[in-house]
Amino acid sequence: MTVSLRTLARTLIPAAALLAAPACATTPAPVQTAVATPAAAPAGPALWKVSDEDTTIYLFGTVHVLPENVTWFDDRISGALAASESIVTELPPSAMTDPSAQQTIMAFAMLPPEKSLRAMLTDEQRTTYETALGKLQVPPQAFDRFEPWFAAMTLSMLPLMQNGYKVDSGVEKVLESKAGASIKRDAVETVEGQMKLFDDLPLDAQAKFLTTTAENVDKMVPTLDQMVKAWSEGDADRLAALMNESMKDDPALAERLLYARNRNWAQWIDDRLDQPGTVFMAVGAGHLAGKESVQDALATRGIQSVRVQ
């Protein structure tokens, strides 16, 4: 399988904050461990809102890549989006197609000319990594020019791309198509900021990220299938068990990818409540599930999140 750098850049822009990233970063949580959903929970993906006397902010958890056959855009979500004056995502919608964004990713992703990815790995790590590439029918030298974190993200995405998961079917793309031209667009992060989340990791942590991803390459699709099922059924507890809890063996990575960002976004929401209006905020579903979620970060500020029924 040959994947161009342009295709990888376009795919990994939304994947930088992957719904799948926590699952791919560490050993996936056992899929057989179910958590019951409260009977009152509505069918369909979970939707929350935060409000005061003159401001409403809807919080909707997204899946950045999805199979084409997943149906989720129901009346609750449609109504909340239609009532909103602005839609806020992790990255600006233009980042999906902006050539400068792709160039930014490549600038962070590429190793210096004198370095090679596989040469940076131990013999054991290299064997694990090359075995995973072989399972995906990718030549062992295919990503030698990439830094370990980018190779890990690419390796986590390839099984999904090979099994029908598509960015064009992802929630952000659908929301963008459904939102009217009059709705303002905003974002809580930048492409450069998301790339730094990974690029600033120490090399040994990047190598661990890559090796663990390679070890679990066969589990990527079934694990994300389980996550999508929990998400589409509105089972936030189950989603948290599958995703966020899989990060518990690497608390430093969990802090970088999830918890610190959740606190930053809670600050953004707190500040936005000072302005009147209605906002539809759509961010990766893993940020709205489990302990230290965005809702938890809001609660520490005395701000209540209510599940929309």
Side-chain angles (χ1 to χ4, degrees), residues 5-173:
L5 293 183
R6 181 178 295 274
T7 298
L8 285 173
R10 181 174 177 271
T11 301
L12 288 169
I13 285 172
L18 285 177
L19 176 106
C24 299
T26 58
T27 303
V31 296
Q32 68 270 21
T33 304
V35 179
T37 303
L47 179 69
W48 287 267
K49 73 174 180 179
V50 175
S51 60
D52 60 17
E53 62 276 4
D54 60 0
T55 308
T56 297
I57 300 176
Y58 291 102
L59 303 177
F60 183 58
T62 68
V63 185
H64 305 312
V65 290
L66 278 175
E68 291 180 328
N69 62 351
V70 177
T71 302
W72 55 268
F73 192 77
D74 59 25
D75 290 342
R76 296 173 304 121
I77 300 165
S78 175
L81 184 62
S84 300
E85 295 129 25
S86 64
I87 180 170
V88 177
T89 50
E90 293 180 30
L91 294 173
S94 60
M96 295 288 290
T97 54
D98 185 357
S100 67
Q102 297 169 15
Q103 292 171 3
T104 297
I105 292 177
M106 289 299 103
F108 280 102
M110 303 300 288
L111 285 168
E114 70 277 8
K115 291 189 176 181
S116 168
L117 169 63
R118 285 181 296 158
M120 301 168 64
L121 305 176
T122 66
D123 290 344
E124 183 177 358
Q125 289 173 336
R126 189 181 310 110
T127 298
T128 300
Y129 170 61
E130 290 180 349
T131 298
L133 290 177
K135 290 178 179 179
L136 299 173
Q137 300 182 359
V138 175
Q141 72 276 12
F143 307 137
D144 276 355
R145 299 292 306 115
F146 293 160
E147 293 200 7
W149 68 266
F150 191 82
M153 291 182 63
T154 304
L155 191 60
S156 71
M157 287 299 297
L158 287 180
L160 305 178
M161 295 167 66
Q162 292 176 351
N163 284 272
Y165 278 83
K166 299 180 179 180
V167 172
D168 287 344
S169 301
V171 172
E172 285 84 357
K173 289 285 286 187

Side-chain angles (χ1 to χ4, degrees), residues 50 59 258-270 287-305:
V50 175
L59 303 177
L258 289 174
Y259 309 144
R261 296 167 72 204
N262 293 347
R263 294 191 296 271
N264 290 340
W265 299 350
Q267 176 67 60
W268 187 95
I269 292 169
D270 194 355
H287 296 278
L288 303 179
K291 295 180 180 180
E292 300 192 56
S293 63
V294 171
Q295 298 95 315
D296 283 354
L298 287 169
T300 65
R301 295 170 173 272
I303 300 172
Q304 182 181 13
S305 306

Side-chain angles (χ1 to χ4, degrees), residues 182-257:
S182 62
I183 295 182
K184 297 178 182 177
R185 270 68 169 177
D186 201 353
V188 290
E189 292 183 339
T190 65
V191 171
E192 181 176 0
Q194 286 200 353
M195 293 301 98
K196 285 188 176 208
L197 290 172
F198 296 92
D199 195 60
D200 288 347
L201 286 170
L203 284 177
D204 59 343
Q206 292 189 35
K208 179 182 177 182
F209 181 21
L210 175 58
T211 304
T212 305
T213 301
E215 289 172 346
N216 291 287
V217 71
D218 292 331
K219 301 176 183 177
M220 299 297 177
V221 173
T223 299
L224 190 53
D225 285 347
Q226 290 287 330
M227 290 180 180
V228 169
K229 183 175 186 295
W231 170 80
S232 64
E233 293 173 353
D235 192 342
D237 290 336
R238 173 68 170 149
L239 182 61
L242 287 167
M243 177 179 293
N244 297 30
E245 292 305 312
S246 71
M247 299 285 288
K248 64 185 178 182
D249 293 330
D250 198 336
L253 193 62
E255 171 65 19
R256 178 179 289 268
L257 296 188

